[in-house]
Amino acid sequence: MLIGELSRRTGVSERLLRYYERTELINSRRRANGYRDYDDRTVETVHRVRALLAAGLPTRTIRQILPCTHDTAALRPCPGVLTSLRDQLDILDQRAADLETARRLLRQTIAATENTTDGVPAPGTRTSTPR
């Protein structure tokens, strides 16, 4: 099938499908006219890629574990897969902790700002001296 048909069947833009091919997540054959020709199985592969991206995995990890997938998100045991998944989970946990810190600081900034009038602290509001 041509890239336009693959795009219609998967809901993924042609540009993104070309990116997936450049990063070796999918592959195609070239027709005599140079057009990309995708196998019908590529539809399911694109769906797997999308599911793994939604799980927060980067394309380099997806490329490593994609051969181990057998449906949308389940994996067969393959060397290094669990290590890669655990490493990615650690990265996501750290990002979540960083975001929570940023949220807390933003809430404090909003609260402090709400307690000021025209840049002057409201009566009874403690302020800190810049260091």
Side-chain angles (χ1 to χ4, degrees):
M1 88 186 77
L2 296 175
I3 195 167
E5 176 65 16
L6 182 59
S7 176
R8 281 188 291 284
R9 290 176 63 182
T10 61
V12 174
S13 73
E14 291 179 22
R15 182 177 180 201
L16 195 51
L17 291 170
R18 286 187 203 95
Y19 171 75
Y20 290 169
E21 191 168 348
R22 272 193 319 276
T23 56
E24 301 175 1
L25 297 176
I26 61 173
N27 56 49
S28 67
R29 294 175 302 280
R30 291 290 181 156
R31 293 183 176 186
N33 60 7
Y35 289 4
R36 289 173 171 87
D37 186 23
Y38 295 96
D39 182 291
D40 284 340
R41 292 174 300 184
T42 307
V43 172
E44 185 56 36
T45 301
V46 170
H47 289 304
R48 283 189 213 120
V49 167
R50 300 299 295 165
L52 293 166
L53 285 168
L57 296 175
T59 55
R60 69 181 181 284
T61 302
I62 293 171
R63 185 174 50 251
Q64 176 191 358
I65 68 172
L66 197 57
C68 303
T69 61
H70 58 85
D71 63 29
T72 304
L75 301 171
R76 292 187 309 264
C78 288
V81 169
L82 283 176
T83 299
S84 292
L85 293 175
R86 286 184 179 119
D87 290 347
Q88 187 59 34
L89 183 58
D90 290 344
I91 290 168
L92 291 175
D93 287 343
Q94 183 58 53
R95 283 186 194 162
D98 292 346
L99 281 172
E100 184 54 38
T101 298
R103 291 177 70 199
R104 183 178 39 76
L105 292 171
L106 184 55
R107 283 189 181 110
Q108 290 172 354
T109 301
I110 290 169
T113 303
E114 289 173 340
N115 289 328
T116 62
T117 307
D118 296 327
V120 178
T125 303
R126 286 194 290 167
T127 60
S128 61
T129 306
R131 296 180 185 165

